[in-house]
Amino acid sequence: MALSDEPAAGDPKDEAEEEAPALGPALEAFGESAEVRALLGGLRDVLGERAEREAAQERFRVIMDKYQEQPHLLDPHLEWMMNLLLDIVQDKTVPTALVHLAFKFLYIITKVRGYKVFLRLFPHEVGNVEPVLDMFTHQNPKDHETWETRYMLLLWLSVTCLVPFDFARFDGNLLLQPECRRTPIMDRILSVAESYLVVSDKARDAAAVLVSKFITRPDVTQKKMAGFLDWSLCTLAGSSFHTIEGVIAMDGMLQALAQIFKHGKREDCLPYACTVLACLDSCRLSESNQTLLRKLGVKLVQRLGLTLLKPKVAAWRYQRGCRSLAANLQLRTEGQSEQKPQVETSDSEEDYDVPEGMESVIEQLLVGLKDKDTIVRWSAAKGIGRMAGRLPRELADDVVGSVLDCFSFQETDKAWHGGCLALAELGRRGLLLPSRLPEVVGVILKALTYDEKRGACSVGANVRDAACYVCWAFARAYEPQELKPFVTAISSALVIAAVFDRNINCRRAASAAFQENVGRQGTFPHGIEILTTADYFAVGNISNCFLVIRVIRELSAKALHNLTPRAPEFCATHVLPRLLSMTQSSDLHSRHGAILACAEIILALHRLAEQQDRPLSDYLDEKTVQGVKQINQQLRDRQLYRGLGGKLMRIAVCVLIENLSLSRMPFKGDAVIGGWQWLIDDTLRNLRLMSHSSTQVKDMAVSALAALCREYYMEEPGKASPAVQEELVSQYLAELRSPDENTRCGFSLALGALPDFLLKGQLQQVLSGLISVTQISPMDVNFAESRRDGLKAIARVCQTVGVREDGSPDDTLCKENVPQVYRALLNCMNDYTTDSRGDIGAWVREAAMTSLMELTLLLARGCPALLEAPVCEQVMCCVAQQASEKIDRFRAHAGHVFLTLLHSDDPPVPHVPHRGELEQLFPRSDAASVNWNAPSQAFPRVTQLLGLPAYRYHVLLGLAVSVGGLTESTVRHSTHSLFEYMKGIQGDPQALASFGETLLQVFEDNLLNDRVSVSLLKMLDQMLANGCFEVFTTEDNHPFCVRLLALCKEETRKSRDVQKLRSGIAVFCGMVQFRGDVRKRVLLQLLLLLCHPFPVIRKTTASQVYEMVLTYGDVVDVDVLDEVMAVLSDTVWEAELPVVRGQRNHLCDLLGVPRPQLVSKVGPHLPLGLWVSRKNSRGAVGPRALRSLAVQAGVSPGSSGRAWPHPVSRAEGTLSVLHFPVSRVPRAVVDVPPSTME
């Protein structure tokens, strides 16, 4: 728990902390054994194909990675996996590439299980030494594709080095035969190790392992150790950590040295320890920016220190008699105490000289405790613990004192973190004697609350986490009586950290430490009760630790609100005065938290006083009241509402205003009310300056305004001061016309929050102003948020004033203003505004649905007579349309509104069309279980409304958008539901005809409305392709087909939208199934599209017509079918139009369709002329330019500069030269648009 580098506390990740992901279920066994066996057995088969080889490797990696958390499950299977792969490696006949592939698989296994476990499974007989060594002759250390091979070979060689025979025996008679040039085995292994210690890949790590096994052999130590150490130190001294090559070399040397001094015998390593230490000092690794080098340096230093000191266990260490948790609890249950063995320390054990160099070792380890990287500090902490265990008591106590020096507030958070880790190691090893506990516990309690400001954020989470680790370690290390004097302080600190620390890891660490102390010590008060509430998993959820709210300081303030009833006098006399002093702090966050806390405590005291029937003044003295009153003015005077921190201050003071108003503080008529009103108005007016968080600021200001008005603006019950009312309402209505959208939003909601006595007499003006905000004008078409908030305000105003049929329109809802409100709300149901943010009109429609529901339920309860049948029908139909559209969230909201209006019985909403059928389709019992967010559940239900005439038009309009949409799940389920409905009415000609009529009406009403028409064309294509209108194909020139063709022609005429044209082509192809003259007209449209200006449309048309001819066999005569198919498939339809037109005309002849005629476009002055346009003029057009154009057209210009009329074929059709004197258009550009139409 103490090893994590936590992000700064002020980091945005901390402010919006998410719950830690829960761990999945633990695996029980290696379940992919058969698949892995097949993968390994098939390596020879996949070698030739790169794709198959990479797929097999990736699949094996995925399988192995599943067991990263539980690698021990692989242990029973490691041997057979290794044998399968080594069989390939040892086979002399296999290709080299297959050997490399086998080693890649071996490395994947090693990475998951760890090389230490995997190492002993390698064959390590005497006969394996030379074959493995010989494999290195074929390796290229610079080949970065095969580093796994070299890594695994080095590990294999390291285990073969452990054979219990002198390596000299492998050389045979080599020494007796000087003419033989074969290198001794010992030299070959050493050469391989040295060469790979300086490579840049992972083989360097394996080479260090090889060195540690090889050099520490007795026979090698005598002959090669000194030479190797000399080479290593020379390489180390000659390398610089400022270059990449130097870093690589130093890394390899440090790893090798650390491994040698770890595994070598002390008597072998001791003669070289001081020399290595001196060389290490000269390298100055602590100044390097390379974390790994500093870590290896610390590791090597502690290994050297352990070599210099005699290996012994400190007899003076503290020993807890029983560390078994079960035995500990049993003894405590039986009322017994543990009997610790008394260990006497003899003088001979304590009085011995500390070797030279130990001071340097300890100094470097203490410096390592303050390193900037956690892994270095952790290594140094373990080194401190190991070294102290071999030192005399007095010297070890000096080390403890030096560690405690890390806890000075002049030190950084890194030193505190390292100090905590060192104390935990010392305590865990029994090297921190009870006499030091008072001093140590004091610094640990400070570390549990450590938090250091760093600019806009803070650091210290890692310190608090490590302090929890210390408490956890102490619970296991000390007897309960040793820690008894500190139980209260430690337990309180741990509970506070577990509940209130903002960092999830710290909360969990504190909970784990508290749990360990409860179990090991048994002296923590209420330990079990606290653990059942704040266990490790419960504290992981921030809402369980604070409350459900947004930021830490607000959570803390709410927590104080809940704590106040427990100690009201203490909060009033001690906490509040301290918080009031903090409200003027120069630190933004302290100021923010203090103001929020003051507001919450005062509100809690007010509620407590009300319960006890006492005045609030019993808790708050005059000084506190005056201090609270002055907060706003003091902040304003210091201009703290401006700048980056102004947003937080406005939010905090708005909460303060709201809570003080709810607490009925005696400020009525006081000047402070004007200051509060100014702050609220200024905040709403300047929301644009807080755009990234304007919603929160706006909501806080509106809530504060509502509470302020209710408490301080009422002169007598139900009546406001006329001056205040007139000023406030007129000012807010004027702000609704602001050119800023955020200002409109704020003051719309402010009008909606006004109490009824301020709206009395002003209702008609307020409603008119809010309705104007909801209307779209060219200047504010993208002000969707202001329209949304205007709708919310209208609904809130209506609920505030209530309804009375014969009331005044200036005071209440009545028959005169209800139609006006409904018109405004229903108009907003058609807001489909889009911009770069997407469908922003959806926000308006959502608010309109909510407002319609609230208004309708209000009228149904208060005055059902004001609900007219046409209005109710329009409301239900519009909501049904939204329930069938494509956006899941808004469809779900529409479904909720629809069912609420349908099933409302307090009293029922009158005039709901087809109520009986609706209640059968949507029973009340299913209302809660239907997930309207899911297309699979929503569309099967909503398509049933197509059978109800009142709803058919609107539901079909919504379905058109869904069926023709882009989201796969929405399209699939909406299409399936629509087709299921169509299947059900195929046997009912009247229902099918009515459906077709409604569909065509939807099309006609939305002609050239691309939002609907493009999707509708896609839906028509699918319906035609699935035979939904097959009944109409039996009648020649059915009215449905004729009208549909006319609408499709009008929709696609002159369109340059490729998507729309493609959808139109698909619909035309589907309409070929209809008989009569309509088929010829459809074919004509398709043939016209074969000469469309866009090549992509020509190609798409040809492809679609080809498929159409294959699908509908009666469209083309059998005699010409092959020729038609050949023309469609062989023609290059992206070619120039004159070429394409000839092939198109040939198709017309084959299909019996009249050829399209070229129609010349009439110029602006004379027919058949060149259009000389003044639009977009960029230069003069002289006689020479016009003559050139005439020559290109194949005509001879006259002497006067005029050109003779002469039709010319070019690209799109005929061009003619206009009889117009060039001198009349001295500055013009010749614009040649398409001059013919087909």
Side-chain angles (χ1 to χ4, degrees), residues 629 632-633 636 641 650 653 657 670-683 708 713:
K629 185 194 295 188
N632 173 55
Q633 190 61 43
R636 185 177 177 184
Y641 291 131
R650 290 175 185 270
V653 177
I657 294 171
D670 198 294
V672 71
I673 303 302
W676 289 355
Q677 185 66 55
W678 170 87
L679 175 65
I680 294 171
D681 294 347
D682 188 68
T683 299
L708 176 69
Y713 287 164

Side-chain angles (χ1 to χ4, degrees), residues 1103-1117:
S1103 175
Q1104 296 270 8
V1105 171
Y1106 187 92
E1107 295 178 8
M1108 175 200 75
V1109 172
L1110 291 176
T1111 304
Y1112 304 106
D1114 60 340
V1115 174
V1116 182
D1117 292 338

Side-chain angles (χ1 to χ4, degrees), residues 29-105:
F30 183 48
E32 293 84 0
S33 174
E35 184 180 358
V36 168
R37 192 181 292 272
L39 276 174
L40 300 182
L43 290 184
R44 289 179 171 84
D45 301 329
V46 302
L47 180 65
E49 293 293 334
R50 178 176 178 180
E52 294 182 10
R53 183 172 69 250
E54 291 180 350
Q57 188 175 344
E58 182 60 27
R59 177 56 187 161
F60 186 70
R61 183 180 290 109
V62 169
I63 293 173
M64 290 293 109
D65 285 347
K66 286 175 57 177
Y67 298 90
Q68 288 277 12
E69 299 296 329
Q70 298 172 274
H72 61 277
L73 297 178
L74 299 176
D75 288 352
H77 307 271
L78 291 178
E79 187 171 356
W80 65 259
M81 285 193 284
M82 172 174 276
N83 290 338
L84 285 175
L85 293 169
L86 288 183
D87 287 344
I88 296 175
V89 170
Q90 295 174 326
D91 188 348
K92 302 296 184 181
T93 62
V94 300
T96 305
L98 184 57
V99 174
H100 291 311
L101 183 61
F103 275 120
K104 287 181 185 293
F105 277 72

Side-chain angles (χ1 to χ4, degrees), residues 754-1021:
L754 294 179
D756 55 349
F757 60 84
L758 283 175
L759 293 171
K760 191 173 183 180
Q762 305 282 340
L763 178 60
Q764 193 59 38
Q765 295 183 50
V766 171
L767 286 177
S768 298
L770 291 174
I771 289 172
S772 68
V773 173
T774 66
Q775 296 170 346
I776 300 177
S777 66
M779 300 299 294
D780 55 16
V781 65
N782 290 332
F783 284 12
E785 292 179 71
S786 65
R787 296 196 290 274
R788 175 199 64 196
D789 290 346
L791 291 168
K792 292 180 179 179
I794 290 173
R796 190 167 179 182
V797 165
C798 293
Q799 291 180 322
T800 300
V801 299
V803 57
R804 194 166 68 248
E805 183 177 3
D806 55 350
S808 168
D810 285 328
D811 296 336
T812 186
L813 283 178
C814 60
K815 60 184 178 181
E816 296 183 27
N817 53 20
V818 164
Q820 176 191 13
V821 175
Y822 265 115
R823 276 195 303 274
L825 299 182
L826 289 170
N827 285 338
C828 289
M829 292 291 288
N830 296 315
D831 190 333
Y832 286 91
T833 308
T834 58
D835 65 3
S836 59
R837 295 170 290 179
D839 184 6
I840 58 176
W843 305 336
V844 183
R845 300 196 302 275
E846 182 183 30
M849 286 188 284
T850 304
S851 301
L852 283 170
M853 178 183 70
E854 293 173 352
L855 177 60
T856 303
L857 295 177
L858 175 66
L859 293 176
R861 288 191 298 265
C863 189
L866 294 180
L867 282 171
E868 300 177 356
V871 173
C872 284
E873 179 177 345
Q874 194 172 2
V875 170
M876 296 298 291
C877 289
C878 287
V879 175
Q881 175 185 335
Q882 298 302 314
S884 59
E885 290 205 349
K886 60 184 179 181
I887 304 178
D888 293 346
R889 184 167 72 89
F890 301 114
R891 183 176 63 246
H893 184 66
H896 166 71
V897 172
F898 189 86
L899 295 181
T900 301
L901 293 175
L902 174 62
H903 295 303
S904 173
D905 52 5
D906 189 27
V909 176
H911 312 303
V912 174
H914 305 285
R915 178 186 288 276
E917 293 92 330
L918 290 177
E919 289 179 344
Q920 291 180 0
L921 294 175
F922 305 99
R924 189 187 300 268
S925 58
D926 294 348
S929 60
V930 176
N931 180 13
W932 288 85
N933 260 316
S936 59
Q937 298 187 40
F939 287 110
R941 290 171 170 79
V942 79
T943 49
Q944 298 180 61
L945 295 176
L946 293 171
L948 306 178
Y951 296 99
R952 183 181 297 127
Y953 179 91
H954 289 85
V955 172
L956 199 51
L957 180 57
L959 277 176
V961 178
S962 297
V963 174
L966 298 176
T967 307
E968 188 271 337
S969 61
T970 302
V971 171
R972 183 174 74 254
H973 293 293
S974 60
T975 303
H976 176 74
S977 301
L978 177 61
F979 289 168
E980 287 297 314
Y981 172 77
M982 294 302 296
K983 287 180 184 177
I985 63 172
Q986 290 298 307
D988 187 347
Q990 184 177 357
L992 190 60
S994 177
F995 178 89
E997 181 66 26
T998 306
L999 179 61
L1000 293 175
Q1001 190 62 48
V1002 170
F1003 199 171
E1004 184 175 349
D1005 293 345
N1006 291 277
L1007 268 178
L1008 306 181
N1009 177 6
D1010 289 352
R1011 182 189 68 84
V1012 177
S1013 60
V1014 175
S1015 299
L1016 185 59
L1017 287 172
K1018 292 181 180 179
M1019 184 179 79
L1020 283 167
D1021 170 35

